[in-house]
Amino acid sequence: METVTLPRRKEEQPFPAVLDLVPFGVILLNESKHLIQVNQLAGLVTAEADGLRIIQNTLCATNPNSRQRLRRAIEKAGTTHDHRADNGAEIITIFRSSGREPLEILVTPLHRKRHTAFTQDAPALAVLIWDPQKTPPLRRDRIRHMYRLTAAEARVTEGLVRGMAVVELAQEMRVQANTIRTHLKRIYNKTGARRQSELVQLLARNLLLNMP
């Protein structure tokens, strides 16, 4: 039987209660790629061991193909030293053996000033997890207000956060793929994002995005 090692006690964690307020899973890793904090939603997802699990304080994917992609993404984010917001970030689809809808995760470095001293247990990477069965949908009205998007642009933004491709969004919205691309250009222009992973990062920074 595999042993799951839990991160530090909540009172010792860098962001004790704030991360439990966000509507998606959050896992913080240190420079050694070891877990130092898991919020409640991420804890529920990994406890099921259906797509993601925690073994010896390390985040692992249960699917072999997803496991390789996750390992490479974490390694990439962990070796990124450029301070651009999107550099080193990657969105990955994590497939589940149960056949349920896959998880969508964003692996991103937490960029820090080089002159600042950090301890071994300081957060260096973040893994954000969207579980279709546990993560509430994004509030489109809040997205529209934040970035002055149209209703269609907010819908496209929601789809991008869920990891959907242009073709999938076009099929869901019953429009041409070029229409989605036009919306996408306008979304990037209004938000300042340059790619999908950076857009997800911008939205994730608003910790109360889905809270009433």
Side-chain angles (χ1 to χ4, degrees):
M1 183 176 180
E2 293 168 326
T3 301
V4 176
T5 303
L6 297 177
R8 295 176 294 175
R9 295 190 304 274
K10 181 159 289 190
E11 62 270 19
E12 298 174 334
Q13 295 175 346
F15 310 105
V18 175
L19 294 184
D20 286 336
L21 297 176
V22 300
F24 45 83
V26 180
I27 295 177
L28 301 181
L29 311 178
N30 61 17
E31 289 185 344
S32 300
K33 319 299 189 302
H34 291 147
L35 278 68
I36 58 173
Q37 188 164 356
V38 179
N39 76 347
Q40 290 181 357
L41 185 53
L44 291 174
V45 172
T46 54
E48 293 177 342
D50 186 19
L52 292 172
R53 59 182 176 179
I54 299 172
I55 303 175
Q56 298 295 333
N57 234 19
T58 301
L59 181 64
C60 303
T62 57
N63 177 278
N65 292 330
S66 298
R67 189 178 307 135
Q68 292 293 333
R69 292 197 63 194
L70 177 60
R71 185 180 298 117
R72 287 195 297 266
I74 291 176
E75 188 62 31
K76 174 186 174 184
T79 56
T80 297
H81 301 293
D82 195 305
H83 288 245
R84 291 179 298 170
D86 66 321
N87 200 325
E90 185 173 347
I91 294 176
I92 299 174
T93 297
I94 302 292
F95 295 100
R96 307 202 228 190
S97 58
S98 66
R100 291 188 296 173
E101 287 189 71
L103 304 170
E104 298 291 340
I105 71 170
L106 170 70
V107 181
T108 179
L110 299 176
H111 297 293
R112 310 175 305 198
K113 296 181 179 180
R114 298 188 183 188
H115 65 269
T116 304
F118 286 88
T119 66
Q120 176 66 22
D121 284 336
L125 309 173
V127 179
L128 309 182
I129 306 168
W130 282 265
D131 183 340
Q133 296 184 331
K134 293 184 176 63
T135 305
L138 293 175
R139 285 176 50 179
R140 293 179 192 169
D141 59 334
R142 187 69 179 272
I143 297 175
R144 291 183 65 182
H145 177 74
M146 287 172 59
Y147 300 109
R148 297 184 179 180
L149 304 178
T150 65
E153 290 166 355
R155 187 173 178 182
V156 171
T157 301
E158 178 189 11
L160 292 173
V161 171
R162 286 158 48 201
M164 297 182 69
V166 169
V167 174
E168 294 173 318
L169 279 167
Q171 292 174 343
E172 182 178 279
M173 297 176 65
R174 298 182 180 180
V175 298
Q176 297 295 319
N178 284 338
T179 301
I180 299 298
R181 293 188 181 96
T182 298
H183 288 317
L184 192 54
K185 290 179 182 178
R186 292 171 179 167
I187 292 168
Y188 287 164
N189 183 57
K190 291 179 180 181
T191 63
R194 290 167 290 178
R195 63 191 69 183
Q196 186 176 3
S197 60
E198 185 175 352
L199 179 63
V200 174
Q201 285 180 294
L202 287 172
L203 294 175
R205 287 192 189 114
N206 188 336
L207 297 178
L208 300 180
L209 184 62
N210 293 332
M211 301 301 289

